Amino acid sequence: MRNGDSKRNYSYLYSELSLDLAKKIEEQYPELDFRIFELVQLNEFVNHQIAHNVLFVSVESGLGTYVFDSLKERYAGKILLNPSVETFHQYWSENMIVINRLVSESPKGERTVWETKLEKMLVDLVADKLLLSCVSRGEYDNIFHQAFRDFYIDESKLFRYASRRNAKSKVLLHLDKTDLRMGL
């Protein structure tokens, strides 16, 4: 924390399920680039709390099927590979695991590479169809406002990743409604 600054670095204590999942993936695929995002990570930012957690495991392009196949027996009935929005909601259950594609240049976690940085979370929130279907759009401005008010955000990482996701204008739309941007 900087002098007189109430902002802090974003961190999240992952569930035992996420830690177990990350360990299994790392053991089987030690060179694999992946990220884990828990839907309940958003509870720090939303008014309407998310009751049922979903783990989104983003995996390097072309390798999601291998990861899915290696985990499907252990997490039978709780794991989906690249589901449509309809399939996602049809099978939604507590601690469901969704394997999807990791967009290149996704920001990496600070403590471990697979953790989801706040910059990635904010961009994915406006760019990912599944996340768009889980969180009320009425919450978005507050999520961005609170994130920029309470946490240090690397805007160059945020916008680089937003550009990769073709979501820069969507991110800017929410940032323009807050007076807390650092200065781009």
Side-chain angles (χ1 to χ4, degrees):
M1 204 177 293
R2 297 176 187 149
N3 280 342
D5 192 349
S6 62
K7 290 186 180 188
R8 60 192 192 278
N9 291 322
Y10 177 77
S11 68
Y12 174 75
L13 292 174
Y14 283 85
S15 67
E16 285 299 318
L17 177 58
S18 284
L19 298 172
D20 182 55
L21 194 56
K23 183 179 176 190
K24 300 232 174 309
I25 294 170
E26 289 174 329
E27 286 170 356
Q28 281 211 281
Y29 306 99
E31 301 297 317
L32 181 70
D33 191 15
F34 70 99
R35 307 287 180 279
I36 296 178
F37 167 71
E38 293 191 37
L39 189 58
V40 295
Q41 281 181 251
L42 292 171
N43 280 346
E44 184 167 355
F45 304 98
V46 295
N47 289 323
H48 299 93
Q49 298 290 284
I50 297 163
H52 300 287
N53 198 16
V54 175
L55 283 67
F56 292 90
V57 182
S58 301
V59 176
E60 280 180 75
S61 184
L63 300 175
T65 303
Y66 297 106
V67 173
F68 175 80
D69 287 342
S70 68
L71 297 172
K72 69 182 177 188
E73 283 184 34
R74 180 172 179 89
Y75 302 103
K78 291 236 177 225
I79 187 167
L80 298 173
L81 175 64
N82 297 319
S84 67
V85 171
E86 295 77 23
T87 301
F88 172 75
H89 286 288
Q90 183 177 4
Y91 292 100
W92 189 341
S93 65
E94 179 66 23
N95 291 321
M96 183 171 69
I97 300 165
V98 173
I99 308 288
N100 58 18
R101 186 178 69 83
L102 179 67
V103 175
S104 62
E105 297 183 35
S106 290
K108 295 179 177 170
E110 297 291 327
R111 294 176 300 203
T112 59
V113 170
W114 59 263
E115 291 184 0
T116 296
K117 286 187 67 80
L118 185 55
E119 293 86 353
K120 180 181 184 328
M121 186 174 26
L122 291 171
V123 172
D124 288 350
L125 189 60
V126 299
D128 184 272
K129 291 176 190 166
L130 296 180
L131 288 178
L132 284 165
S133 73
C134 293
V135 180
S136 168
R137 303 263 166 83
E139 300 265 17
Y140 281 44
D141 291 340
N142 187 56
I143 291 169
F144 275 82
H145 179 81
Q146 189 173 339
F148 272 78
R149 182 192 68 208
D150 296 345
F151 299 99
Y152 294 113
I153 295 182
D154 184 332
E155 289 194 24
S156 65
K157 279 184 185 173
L158 178 82
F159 286 113
R160 186 178 320 115
Y161 182 59
S163 293
R164 294 288 302 147
R165 300 261 359 218
N166 294 318
K168 188 174 180 179
S169 62
K170 293 175 186 174
V171 169
L172 284 169
L173 178 70
H174 295 290
L175 290 182
D176 286 344
K177 295 178 182 176
T178 180
D179 57 350
L180 301 170
R181 285 185 60 203
M182 292 183 323
L184 279 184

